């Protein structure tokens, strides 16, 4: 439908509700919706307000796609890979194993074909999507025992969210779906052997270090998970052009600010976790390689079966290959030098030679 | 001054001018100001418009700090390290050798103390600053001859912009200041031995590959140069609260979009450059280490001499050390696996095992 003209008397008063899939306790990931809503309100002098509701408040955390599709709420903030049961293509809008990192995902959305292709994909769901946050590469989770080789993955009962469980399963693991509030107890009792969550800052809140000391990296199934703002198409179409522009810019602001929050908060949290006994380990390359091969086989199968996946994935995969090829030179060259441990021991400037 | 109340009849009409330090031909870096201006205009229904002027159009490219300070223009878009001659502290708002990468710089500005400290620093210049763009880690430039060791740096005449020349000079190089339009000829004639510019996408336009084939990385003096929007304090104070919020969100949008443009455009440009004969080399670690030590000695000297530098740098350096410590685990673990060359040879998915 056409947007109503803005009256000369001023902009219209609009009240929306946003259903988040996250609890308020996750101040980083939930907080992005607050940053968005505050920006929209300030930019419109309080005329366009969006009330933010935690997961479960208006609808179940995983009910937000239905909620936006049916217009029960005007918008939602979620991790699209929760919805791969509806269509695996949802996962590409968030994270798939061995995919894009945070910056690359943003590049694909803003300046590649990502936004265009996903807007097409979301049409039947009455969703207009905007990138709104990224956690950065997640950690690979907490394990009661060390994982030395692929043999240790066989039969491993692991709580793993989203699409990554498909690949874990393909390399012999047993993915478990357990709500956030129950993971700690399951891990303590040994009902599960391992769990992943997000990264140091969020993981610390759930106390996993007390019951599973081995903390692995990288989270190869989530190299840069993007969160999305879903807006109901009809509600969006009803906005004046000014509010559409404000909504998009506010989403960009919240997008960048969420990654900044994680980046600023994770280092100190990691130090506290290590002080509390966390033992950091890097996944063995044999595990990474097996998982990589299983992931590529899965994507190939999905492309054969699902035209929607094929269309979006092919563009995503081509972009991914180019990105990782380019990033290996100057970005990695700079980062690897800076991360070579030099700083850990040279707080003071070294003497002149 | 207090912001005027917004009249019930609607928002006020405001016309600003933005002086860029860049030529229009740099569609990525110059383009960020256009993206910003377009967003502000759309978000206000054309009531708040900002005309964007290329470097030299209203004032010299390097005159924009004076222009904003004196109120000749309401705002400017520039690379703050151009102004280290006024105070070395300017460089920290952009890039200093062995500093933060793009994502880390954004984290320091948005969620560390970066914005707060720099706003204080800029007060005497009547500047309110906003991060507005980042190029990502730059390449280390074009060299007529291979640079195998520190000995090859001695006496090397290199065009290098900004603050990095100080460190090049400390390790024996001879930094040259040459306007963009004259670099090619100087390099062709051998008046200079090398030049750095930005990265593949921008470098390609200047044609350096034809006269200096050795293309080095990483650009250790620019691991994530940030561009800034400078707004004249009085002009800013005169905006209604809505316009202030719109201005900040539009700057965030342009900030993220500029990095996305570089990331999306660099890979194909690098391939074209390699096809045209560019030979990629990584700087030897002995050169990196010498430059690193010279940089740390320089920062220590500046901290002893300049209280403004000391205040901002100490916070920046502590943040940098924590960031690189954290990024080495899951971010680097993920990126390094993805960049290990796997993708270069496996366009098609491998067969299932």
């Amino acid at each position: 439908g056409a947007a109503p003209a803005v009256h000369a008397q001023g902009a219209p008063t609009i009240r929306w509700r946003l259903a988040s899939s996250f609890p308020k306790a996750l101040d980083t990931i939930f907080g992005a919706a607050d940053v968005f809503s505050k920006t929209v309100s300030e930019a419109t002098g309080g005329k366009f307000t969006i009330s933010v509701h935690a997961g479960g408040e208006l609808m179940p955390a995983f009910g937000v796609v239905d909620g936006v599709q049916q217009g029960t709420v005007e918008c939602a903030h979620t991790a699209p890979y929760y919805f791969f049961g509806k269509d695996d293509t949802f996962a590409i809008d968030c994270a798939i194993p061995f995919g894009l990192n945070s910056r690359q995902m943003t590049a694909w959305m803003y300046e590649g074909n990502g936004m265009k292709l996903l807007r097409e994909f979301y049409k039947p769901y009455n969703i207009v999507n905007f990138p709104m946050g990224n956690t950065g590469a997640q950690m690979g989770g907490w394990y009661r025992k060390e994982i030395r080789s692929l043999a240790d993955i066989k039969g491993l009962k692991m709580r793993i969210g989203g699409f990554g469980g498909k690949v874990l399963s393909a390399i012999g693991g047993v993915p478990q779906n357990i709500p956030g509030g129950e993971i700690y107890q399951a891990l303590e009792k040994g009902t599960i052997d391992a769990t992943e969550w997000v990264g140091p800052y969020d993981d610390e809140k759930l106390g996993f270090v007390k019951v599973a000391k081995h903390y692995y990296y990288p989270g190869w199934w989530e190299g840069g998970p993007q969160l999305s703002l879903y807006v109901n198409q009809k509600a969006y179409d009803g906005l004046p052009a000014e509010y559409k522009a404000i909504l998009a810019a506010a989403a960009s602001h919240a997008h960048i600010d969420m990654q900044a929050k994680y980046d600023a908060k994770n280092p100190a949290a990691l130090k506290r976790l290590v002080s509390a006994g966390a033992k950091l380990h890097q996944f063995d390359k044999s595990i990474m390689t097996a998982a990589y091969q299983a992931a590529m086989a899965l994507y190939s199968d999905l492309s054969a079966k699902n035209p929607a996946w094929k269309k979006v994935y092919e563009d995503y995969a081509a972009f991914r290959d180019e990105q990782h090829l380019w990033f290996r030179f100057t970005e990695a060259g700079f980062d690897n030098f800076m991360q070579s441990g030099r700083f850990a021991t040279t707080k003071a400037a070294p003497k002149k030679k």
Side-chain angles (χ1 to χ4, degrees), chain A:
Chain A
V6 179
H7 302 294
Q9 289 76 7
T13 296
I14 291 180
R15 303 272 170 263
W16 277 11
R17 297 187 305 170
L18 180 150
S20 172
S21 289
F22 308 104
K24 285 202 167 111
L26 295 178
D27 57 315
T28 39
I29 199 167
F30 174 85
D34 276 339
V35 169
F36 165 70
S37 161
K38 186 166 174 277
T39 303
V40 169
S41 176
E42 287 176 356
T44 60
K47 291 199 167 176
F48 181 11
T49 59
I50 301 170
S51 60
V52 177
H53 304 269
E57 204 178 305
L58 301 177
M59 58 190 64
F62 299 151
V64 301
V65 165
D66 296 339
V68 172
Q69 186 171 11
Q70 292 155 17
T72 313
V73 286
E74 291 82 7
C75 58
H77 185 230
T78 193
Y81 63 16
Y82 292 149
F83 307 97
F84 72 85
K86 289 178 184 286
D87 189 315
D88 287 295
T89 315
F90 274 91
I92 304 177
D93 186 29
C94 182
I96 59 175
F98 303 99
L100 296 166
N101 71 20
S102 175
R103 227 174 89 179
Q104 295 165 348
M105 185 69 188
T106 295
W108 184 60
M109 293 298 292
Y110 278 72
E111 293 289 336
N113 297 318
M115 188 78 101
K116 180 179 154 285
L117 289 168
L118 288 168
R119 290 261 168 107
E120 278 175 30
F121 167 72
Y122 280 129
K123 267 221 160 78
Y125 300 93
N126 303 326
I127 286 172
V128 183
N129 64 302
F130 297 83
M132 200 161 92
N134 198 304
T135 65
Q138 298 198 359
M139 288 291 287
W142 301 87
Y143 299 75
R144 286 163 55 97
K145 291 182 188 163
E146 275 190 65
I147 301 296
R148 293 169 197 271
S149 73
L150 205 52
D152 295 330
I153 299 280
K154 303 289 178 210
L156 183 88
K157 280 184 283 182
M158 178 166 176
R159 183 270 169 199
I160 182 167
F163 193 82
K166 292 193 184 206
V167 176
L168 181 69
S169 170
I171 61 168
V174 185
Q176 308 279 307
N177 200 353
I178 299 176
E182 298 168 29
I183 304 172
Y184 180 90
Q185 221 177 11
L187 199 58
E188 188 179 29
K189 283 185 183 163
T191 313
I192 55 174
D193 305 306
T195 186
E196 57 85 52
W197 186 241
V198 180
Y201 183 73
D202 289 341
D203 291 7
E204 189 185 22
K205 292 179 185 163
L206 297 188
F208 301 135
V209 68
K210 283 178 254 168
V211 289
K213 301 230 169 294
H214 302 288
Y215 197 22
Y216 276 82
Y217 65 92
W220 44 261
W221 52 94
E222 299 182 82
Q226 176 176 278
L227 291 301
S228 281
L229 171 72
Y230 286 163
V231 180
N232 172 272
Q233 180 76 56
K234 201 172 158 190
Y236 182 75
D237 291 341
L239 293 177
E242 290 89 332
Y243 287 9
K244 284 180 183 166
I246 286 169
L247 185 145
S252 284
H253 180 68
H255 181 57
I256 202 168
D257 185 66
M258 182 174 138
Q259 183 63 76
K261 275 204 180 82
Y262 272 110
D263 290 342
K265 288 171 187 293
N266 273 326
L270 181 67
K271 284 186 173 180
R272 289 191 300 268
L273 288 168
V274 169
S275 295
K279 299 202 184 312
L280 287 169
H281 305 278
Q282 184 159 16
F283 280 123
D284 190 79
K285 199 162 180 186
S286 64
I287 295 171
M288 297 284 287
T289 303
Y292 169 79
Q293 289 173 337
M296 295 304 132
L298 170 65
Y299 304 155
S300 189
D301 285 354
L302 289 173
S303 288
K305 282 179 203 158
N306 180 347
W309 169 278
K310 186 176 195 295
K311 187 171 185 186
V312 181
Y313 178 73
E314 279 185 354
D315 187 83
Y316 174 95
F319 195 86
R320 175 198 61 199
D321 295 359
E322 298 269 296
Q323 288 292 301
H324 286 297
L325 194 65
W326 154 240
F327 269 69
R328 70 189 297 192
F329 296 110
T330 199
E331 291 288 348
F334 182 78
D335 286 348
N336 290 341
F337 181 82
M338 294 303 288
Q339 292 160 12
S340 59
R342 200 164 304 274
F343 284 117
T345 53
T346 55
K347 275 284 183 182
K351 291 196 179 100
K352 269 188 184 173
K353 272 199 163 171

